[in-house]
Amino acid sequence: MFSQLKFYLTHSLNDLNVNRRLTVFALLSIAVGVAAIVSLQTLSLMIADTLEENLQLTNRGDVRASIISQDQYEASLIEEEAFTETTSETEDNAAETTSGLYDQLEEDGVLVPVEFAGAEISALAEGGINAIEAWIADSDYAGQVTLNYQIPLSDPLSAFLGNGAGASITVTETGAQASQVSSYVIDPATYPFYDEIMTTDGQTLAEVLQVPTDVVIGQNVADQTDIQVGDVVQINGASESFTVRGIVSLEEGIRSPLDDLFAGIFGFYYLNQDAITLFEDVTITTNTVFFRIAPEVNVADFDRDLQAEFPFFSTTTTEDLRRDNEQIVDLIDQLTSVMGLISLLIGSIGIVNTMQVIVQRRMLEVAVLKTIGMQGEQITLLFLMEALLLGVIGSAIGIILGWGGTFLIKGAAEQIFVTTLSFRIAPEPAINGFVLGVIVATVFGFLPTISAAQIRPGIVIRPQDGLVPRAGWLQRIAVLVLIVLVISLIAQTILGGTFVTALLIVGGTFIAAGFIYAILWGIIWVIGRFFPSFGIVDLKVSLRQMLASKGRGASTLLALVVGVFSLSTITLFAESINNILEASLESAGGNLLINVQSFQQYDEVEALLEGFDGVNSYQASLGYTAELVSWEQSETGEVITPDTFPTYLASQEIAFPPFFDGTDEERLEIQADIIDSTFLNTSIEARSLDTVDVDAPMELGRSLTADDAGSNLIVFGNDPILVELGVQPGDIITYEVVQEGLFASNRETVTFEVAGIAAAEVISFNINSGTYAPAGIFPDTVNPTDITVIADVDDDRVQAFRSELTQIQGTFVIETAIFTRLIESLIGTFTAFPTLVAALGLIVGGVVIANSVALATMERRNEIAVMKSVGLQRERVLGMLLLENGILGFIGGLFGVGIGVLVLLGFAATSDVPFGTIPWGTAFLLMMLCVGVAIIAAITSAWSASGEKPLTVLRYE
């Protein structure tokens, strides 16, 4: 047995050495797949190391406690009772308990109500901080637990909109401004508890934040405004200027990318807590408290006691964070393993092609071996040993390439996690890659090798008549089943779950791949047989050759299609969203949104817009608060009032919200809340009809036109529940327009006829949206309650205009491009990693093409030699090879990108996305990328073959 094994091993090594060119491309096919596994799994371990590196630093303490809303606290009480039976009485008791608790806490000064996004939430007041400190001092934790916190200058929404205190920084000397920045007001002596936040010149926050007017800014703010250490800046809402004492990198300042999302995108800065006195109407409040606990104290015990004493807290301990990080790492590890396995399976196509050529080129040798007594199964084992060796050597090379590739892809991961990843060489990814590479190479190499066992000894006498025999159908089916079973076992170890589930997934994938292979085979056959050559000899030869090797061409394109489909789908979706954003910004009519708090200040804003140099145009949107008086249905004549509305609503069968699985009473409660805020009580925009988009999509009826000026018509904004409620064009609706204010309180009744209900828009920054009626029909005795102006200001004058506008109290401005920056940043962040993985697949596909071209040129050496011997130059021979593979690349691009475009078209058709936003140009460029990949791969393989001397080839072939 050992002598046979030695013979198989020696013979296989010798054959790999003799057929070095075949061996190189086969090894590359395996190596790139293994490299993908090693690099992606190594990256996963690096991410895990970073997340686990300092949980206390990421959590900013041993325990992080955040205020929960009344609704969340009420839900927790109901959940506690859910173990017995949840009834309406339980819910009522929970609501009463919650309301009483929070009212009492606010009365005691522990909590304070804060406005956020139009709703009232709770924040921890200075009295609450004192209460926590007092509780610690009087408990067993005295001297063993300390706390710190951040003081927000404004709520997150106000910071994002740019109208909150501390939301913008302006350089005094240059006027450069960074807006939507996040403020971190901290005690530099204790914050953070673990590690130190260092400035770029190596100082700590405690060293640079000495006085209230010192500020440390994030690197992203410095990049936006070209701020330098020592510059004087203005922070909106502050009574004094600040001096920049340091700059902090993103890696130092942002420890939790999800919690600090806006800070990572728009910027951040640090202030000393003493700076609070410089901001009018800003008090000491916080939403989150961080606790440092002595090593001898049990963190779980403190966490339990804290929540028992202060039940309005939701806490996160380092152990909680560890479990969350483990889940994240498991998901990343599964993703990287699956994508690496897919890349390896794509590379296995190169193994199949290589082994087919090896068998074909060694037919005479196999016939001789069978003549001297070797059996068919021994021949199969001989070639299987060769496939095994290819797997071993190729996997070893792939491990080295994978470690190198990790350096190339870790940058994308660092962008996603906003942190630096430390490279390390870990044995586990290398072992996984090696084992998978060997198994896949051996299993996929088995299918061509069973054909070798069918070669007849008679070829020794008639070698010129030898054709590689095909294995029987039963044999091929048995091998395919074996391949599916082996890959299913591998998939189960990666994804978990049952073997049956993995088998169904892998089996479905193979069926889909077979279906795509059949389509590609058919496309190649149609093009090779029916595409006109236009009298061009080179094109005719290329088409004939495609037709002769359509099986290999289809399998090669299958590898390319997988990579280009993934890459094109991600790229096209991301660019489509960007195009939608750009179109929405253009339709908005300007680059600045200005909100005016009161009608009295609108005259000042309008005067500034009229007199400021650089304002190209502007338009105002005046919103009136309206309360329903009556609704007369045009079809039935029934009149519905707010008093009769609940009865009417209960009589309707409204399937809204969709997919709701609660009780009918809960559904009616939700519907009543929606209708109350969109129909019974709403805001109506007084719109100048020359700004109306008459072609805007409508759910029912029509939009208004200039001819409707002065008429009491109304168009409701998109609201599916109004359609289901039965609101129709022609209905008569009477509203009471209301002005409630400190200086005036007026009410006037206005009757409208419904003209239509608008359809949904995917994304819109247009202020002229929602419910509107013609300007001029609202009574002069009632002032609008919401005033928004959109202005088109020259880009180089925006900062100066913002500075002028800050002089008008009660106004704030936001650049519409902020929305684009936010969404583009989010898209870029979350598509960077999948795009990189898809690009790896495309690279693997390119290697498979190079392998296929190398095999094809080796098979056609005689043909190339004959062409050169009759006078064809090297350039022309090479041109025919490139033309053939360029056509194949175009077919792969057309198919792969085409599927991506079809997916995008389907999404657009079901989501009302304008087809004009689909990036057709990018789709074409991706197709050309496929052609380029195919041609470059062909050049690497065909260059040397096209330059061989004819006599050398003809003498030895």
Side-chain angles (χ1 to χ4, degrees):
M1 179 178 178
F2 288 105
S3 60
Q4 285 184 334
L5 181 63
K6 180 180 178 181
F7 168 75
Y8 291 150
L9 182 62
T10 305
H11 193 280
S12 298
L13 287 172
N14 180 68
D15 183 67
L16 293 177
N17 180 56
V18 171
N19 297 284
R20 285 188 292 272
R21 289 181 59 191
L22 277 171
T23 303
V24 167
F25 284 102
L27 292 177
L28 278 177
S29 297
I30 302 169
V32 291
V34 173
I37 291 176
V38 173
S39 58
L40 291 173
Q41 287 195 350
T42 301
L43 181 63
S44 177
L45 288 177
M46 290 162 54
I47 293 171
D49 290 345
T50 301
L51 293 176
E52 294 286 334
E53 188 175 26
N54 195 335
L55 294 171
Q56 294 167 318
L57 179 61
T58 303
N59 204 39
R60 297 192 178 102
D62 297 287
V63 176
R64 181 176 74 230
S66 302
I67 306 295
I68 61 175
S69 67
Q70 293 192 38
D71 290 341
Q72 291 172 313
Y73 183 72
E74 181 181 333
S76 68
L77 292 180
I78 295 174
E79 186 176 352
E80 290 176 6
E81 297 293 333
F83 293 104
T84 55
E85 183 179 1
T86 302
T87 64
S88 58
E89 183 179 354
T90 300
E91 295 177 355
D92 293 340
N93 290 338
E96 184 178 348
T97 301
T98 301
S99 178
L101 172 65
Y102 277 73
D103 288 345
Q104 185 62 50
L105 290 170
E106 291 177 7
E107 185 178 332
D108 295 341
V110 175
L111 298 181
V112 59
V114 178
E115 283 287 326
F116 175 63
E120 188 177 278
I121 62 173
S122 297
L124 192 67
E126 186 174 9
I129 297 171
N130 296 334
I132 297 172
E133 290 177 333
W135 171 72
I136 293 173
D138 294 338
S139 69
D140 295 337
Y141 302 112
Q144 297 176 309
V145 176
T146 53
L147 65 85
N148 65 28
Y149 50 91
Q150 300 170 352
I151 303 172
L153 296 177
S154 60
D155 63 80
L157 180 64
S158 298
F160 171 68
L161 294 176
N163 64 323
S168 64
I169 294 180
T170 305
V171 184
T172 303
E173 184 176 353
T174 64
Q177 186 179 70
S179 58
Q180 285 73 43
V181 291
S182 299
S183 56
Y184 296 139
V185 184
I186 50 100
D187 179 2
T190 61
Y191 183 90
F193 279 133
Y194 294 96
D195 204 357
E196 294 284 357
I197 295 177
M198 307 294 293
T199 63
T200 53
D201 55 1
Q203 299 186 79
T204 66
L205 293 180
E207 292 172 334
V208 293
L209 293 177
Q210 297 288 328
V211 297
T213 55
D214 289 337
V215 62
V216 173
I217 64 171
Q219 185 66 57
N220 42 8
V221 175
D223 293 340
Q224 290 178 55
T225 56
D226 198 27
I227 292 178
Q228 304 294 326
V229 174
D231 285 351
V232 177
V233 298
Q234 304 289 332
I235 298 178
N236 71 308
S239 58
E240 295 187 29
S241 300
F242 294 80
T243 303
V244 177
R245 298 302 184 187
I247 298 174
V248 171
S249 67
L250 289 178
E251 292 79 7
E252 284 286 325
I254 296 178
R255 298 298 183 179
S256 177
L258 293 179
D259 293 339
D260 301 324
L261 178 63
F262 286 168
I265 294 173
F266 299 115
F268 61 94
Y269 63 89
Y270 294 96
L271 291 177
N272 193 308
Q273 284 186 1
D274 296 336
I276 283 291
T277 59
L278 304 179
F279 291 86
E280 187 179 357
D281 297 330
V282 175
T283 58
I284 296 179
T285 63
T286 187
N287 299 313
T288 306
V289 181
F290 310 104
F291 296 91
R292 180 172 184 170
I293 302 173
E296 58 270 20
V297 175
N298 186 287
V299 174
D301 290 342
F302 174 79
D303 178 43
R304 183 187 61 252
D305 293 342
L306 177 68
Q307 291 189 73
E309 185 69 24
F310 303 97
F312 50 80
F313 270 142
S314 171
T315 60
T316 302
T317 66
T318 49
E319 188 58 36
D320 295 332
L321 191 61
R322 186 191 310 279
R323 286 194 295 268
D324 293 342
N325 288 346
E326 286 175 354
Q327 292 179 356
I328 294 172
V329 170
D330 286 344
L331 289 174
I332 294 173
D333 189 55
Q334 285 187 350
L335 173 64
T336 54
S337 297
V338 169
M339 297 309 296
L341 179 60
I342 290 173
S343 298
L344 183 58
L345 294 178
I346 293 172
S348 66
I349 296 174
I351 295 294
V352 174
N353 290 339
T354 301
M355 294 306 297
Q356 285 177 337
V357 174
I358 287 175
V359 171
Q360 182 178 354
R361 291 176 63 85
R362 295 171 60 189
M363 286 176 58
L364 183 60
E365 175 191 339
V366 172
V368 171
L369 290 174
K370 296 191 77 171
T371 302
I372 62 176
M374 287 193 71
Q375 301 299 312
E377 59 272 15
Q378 292 176 308
I379 298 296
T380 298
L381 286 174
L382 179 65
F383 282 95
L384 203 57
M385 175 63 75
E386 195 163 323
L388 176 65
L389 288 174
L390 287 172
V392 170
I393 300 171
S395 298
I397 296 172
I399 292 171
I400 299 172
L401 293 177
W403 286 334
T406 306
F407 282 106
L408 300 178
I409 64 175
K410 80 184 187 78
E414 289 175 340
Q415 181 183 8
I416 295 172
F417 290 92
V418 199
T419 188
T420 301
L421 301 176
S422 300
F423 176 77
R424 74 179 177 105
I425 295 177
E428 185 179 350
I431 294 172
N432 290 340
F434 184 84
V435 172
L436 289 177
V438 172
I439 292 174
V440 171
T442 305
V443 170
F444 276 86
F446 188 45
L447 186 59
T449 59
I450 60 175
S451 299
Q454 313 301 318
I455 296 174
R456 297 178 180 275
I459 292 178
V460 174
I461 304 172
R462 296 183 302 277
Q464 68 275 9
D465 297 333
L467 294 174
V468 179
R470 290 178 176 271
W473 281 104
L474 290 177
Q475 288 179 307
R476 280 187 279 179
I477 291 174
V479 172
L480 286 174
V481 170
L482 175 64
I483 292 174
V484 170
L485 290 175
V486 171
I487 302 303
S488 297
L489 285 171
I490 296 173
Q492 184 190 9
T493 59
I494 295 174
L495 300 175
T498 64
F499 175 74
V500 174
T501 302
L503 182 62
L504 290 174
I505 294 173
V506 173
T509 303
F510 268 77
I511 291 172
F515 181 70
I516 295 173
Y517 171 85
I519 294 176
L520 292 171
W521 189 95
I523 292 174
I524 295 173
W525 181 82
V526 170
I527 292 177
R529 190 170 184 85
F530 299 108
F531 191 81
S533 61
F534 304 105
I536 303 173
V537 176
D538 293 1
L539 178 58
K540 187 173 183 178
V541 172
S542 298
L543 292 173
R544 289 290 179 85
Q545 184 57 39
M546 283 174 50
L547 193 61
S549 57
K550 50 187 176 294
R552 182 181 298 161
S555 64
T556 302
L557 288 184
L558 179 62
L560 184 64
V561 163
V562 173
V564 74
F565 167 70
S566 304
L567 184 62
S568 65
T569 302
I570 296 169
T571 303
L572 293 177
F573 264 91
E575 189 161 341
S576 292
I577 294 175
N578 291 337
N579 290 343
I580 293 171
L581 292 173
E582 291 177 4
S584 299
L585 287 175
E586 290 176 2
S587 66
N591 56 350
L592 294 181
L593 279 171
I594 306 165
N595 184 266
V596 184
Q597 297 296 316
S598 69
F599 190 68
Q600 287 73 22
Q601 292 153 337
Y602 175 62
D603 290 339
E604 295 181 64
V605 174
E606 191 171 32
L608 174 62
L609 291 165
E610 291 287 350
F612 190 84
D613 181 27
V615 176
N616 301 313
S617 63
Y618 70 91
Q619 54 181 293
S621 167
L622 307 179
Y624 290 83
T625 299
E627 299 176 0
L628 184 73
V629 176
S630 66
W631 164 31
E632 180 182 343
Q633 294 182 331
S634 57
E635 292 185 357
T636 64
E638 183 180 359
V639 177
I640 302 164
T641 65
D643 292 335
T644 61
F645 214 96
T647 303
Y648 175 78
L649 179 60
S651 68
Q652 305 298 302
E653 293 184 1
I654 302 175
F656 191 91
F659 312 112
F660 182 75
D661 58 357
T663 65
D664 291 339
E665 291 78 8
E666 291 171 334
R667 181 191 294 274
L668 280 172
E669 184 178 347
I670 293 173
Q671 291 171 355
D673 289 340
I674 296 173
I675 293 171
D676 182 62
S677 60
T678 60
F679 186 58
L680 300 182
N681 297 281
T682 187
S683 177
I684 305 174
E685 178 193 343
R687 180 177 298 187
S688 175
L689 297 185
D690 57 2
T691 65
V692 172
D693 180 9
V694 296
D695 297 323
M698 301 295 293
E699 192 72 34
L700 291 175
R702 65 179 180 86
S703 59
L704 301 185
T705 66
D707 296 336
D708 296 315
S711 59
N712 282 40
L713 294 172
I714 188 171
V715 172
F716 284 98
N718 172 257
D719 189 354
I721 200 170
L722 291 186
V723 178
E724 296 206 27
L725 189 63
V727 176
Q728 295 286 330
D731 289 359
I732 304 300
I733 299 181
T734 301
Y735 277 112
E736 194 172 39
V737 182
V738 181
Q739 177 191 353
E740 296 287 353
L742 185 63
F743 302 103
S745 180
N746 300 311
R747 288 174 175 265
E748 295 286 349
T749 300
V750 183
T751 299
F752 300 93
E753 179 184 341
V754 178
I757 297 178
E761 295 184 72
V762 181
I763 298 177
S764 176
F765 300 108
N766 198 326
I767 60 173
N768 296 327
S769 59
T771 301
Y772 69 93
I777 67 169
F778 292 87
D780 295 335
T781 55
V782 180
N783 288 334
T785 53
D786 181 63
I787 305 169
T788 307
V789 180
I790 187 161
D792 182 21
V793 181
D794 293 339
D795 291 339
D796 59 347
R797 298 287 291 159
V798 167
Q799 298 299 343
F801 179 81
R802 293 179 69 121
S803 299
E804 291 286 338
L805 193 67
T806 57
Q807 305 304 315
I808 303 175
Q809 295 294 323
T811 63
F812 72 90
V813 62
I814 182 172
E815 295 183 49
T816 55
I818 290 296
F819 297 101
T820 306
R821 283 175 53 198
L822 173 63
I823 297 176
E824 286 182 348
S825 297
L826 291 174
I827 292 172
T829 298
F830 291 107
T831 60
F833 196 73
T835 300
L836 188 62
V837 173
L840 283 176
L842 189 62
I843 292 172
V844 174
V847 172
V848 172
I849 291 176
N851 173 276
S852 179
V853 174
L855 299 177
T857 52
M858 293 185 70
E859 291 176 326
R860 296 162 59 186
R861 292 182 74 197
N862 281 340
E863 177 187 335
I864 294 172
V866 170
M867 286 192 293
K868 294 189 71 175
S869 64
V870 297
L872 269 68
Q873 299 299 313
R874 175 181 187 175
E875 292 77 12
R876 188 172 178 183
V877 174
L878 182 62
M880 283 190 288
L881 295 172
L882 298 184
L883 180 60
E884 176 186 333
N885 287 277
I887 295 173
L888 287 175
F890 181 79
I891 295 172
L894 185 65
F895 191 82
V897 178
I899 297 176
V901 170
L902 288 176
V903 171
L904 187 56
L905 285 172
F907 173 77
T910 56
S911 308
D912 295 323
V913 174
F915 289 118
T917 59
I918 296 176
W920 302 105
T922 303
F924 177 76
L925 290 177
L926 286 168
M927 289 175 57
M928 293 301 101
L929 174 64
C930 288
V931 175
V933 169
I935 290 177
I936 291 172
I939 289 176
T940 59
S941 303
W943 178 261
S944 58
S946 64
E948 284 196 89
K949 296 180 179 180
L951 289 178
T952 302
V953 176
L954 296 175
R955 180 182 300 120
Y956 293 104
E957 289 290 329

